[in-house]
Amino acid sequence: MAQFKLLGLSGALREGSTNRMLLREAARLVGDADYNEANLNLPLYDGDDEDTSGVPAEVVALAKQIAAADAVIIASPEYNYGVSGVLKNALDWVSRVEGNPWEDKPVAVMSAAAGRGGGSQAQAMVLSCMTSFAPRIVNFPLVAVAASYEAFDDAGLLKGEMYVNNLTTLMSKLRAAV
């Protein structure tokens, strides 16, 4: 069998974000995989720009990455009780690409946030946004890392037995869904 291809989408652009750390931990815990993180630093969606210039090349590249992946993991911070604008913008842009790279694709959603809810409301919004794409969502157990600024050690490894166990189980279920 070919190498398992896993794509990560972080709703935070900051390189040192806890959502990027969470994605990297998920990739480590999923086992042997070819892991890549997508670039979501995309122009803001504007229908006039799309009509004038078409879908940007970086959006087409993102859609191709999604299509080529065996599974996708999405990690979103929670901003004002919702999903980050970065992630929502990427989802909106990908919906404009011909075809649907998400259809029947195994997808796991997780979050890391400073608050005690760990981004669970952002996850609910991500799941709502994904509905029209018809992916195969793997969403249990819930991985919502609270107080994320202190949830990772200096090496970027997730601390806390509950979080590690839940993330390990989620990644096992994601791999099984492929």
Side-chain angles (χ1 to χ4, degrees), residues 91-144:
L91 296 175
D92 290 343
W93 262 124
V94 170
S95 75
R96 305 302 298 164
V97 174
E98 179 132 356
N100 179 5
W102 294 108
E103 189 169 3
D104 207 34
K105 180 80 56 185
V107 176
V109 178
M110 57 197 69
S111 57
R116 65 179 174 224
S120 59
Q121 290 185 341
Q123 279 193 49
M125 192 172 170
V126 170
L127 293 170
S128 178
C129 292
M130 295 296 293
T131 299
S132 65
F133 301 139
R136 281 188 288 139
I137 298 292
V138 178
N139 65 346
F140 187 80
L142 178 71
V143 176

Side-chain angles (χ1 to χ4, degrees), residues 65-85:
Q65 282 183 297
I66 294 166
D70 293 312
V72 177
I73 48 178
I74 299 173
S76 181
E78 186 171 293
Y79 296 155
N80 302 309
Y81 300 105
V83 67
S84 72

Side-chain angles (χ1 to χ4, degrees), residues 3 15 155:
Q3 177 91 20
E15 182 59 35

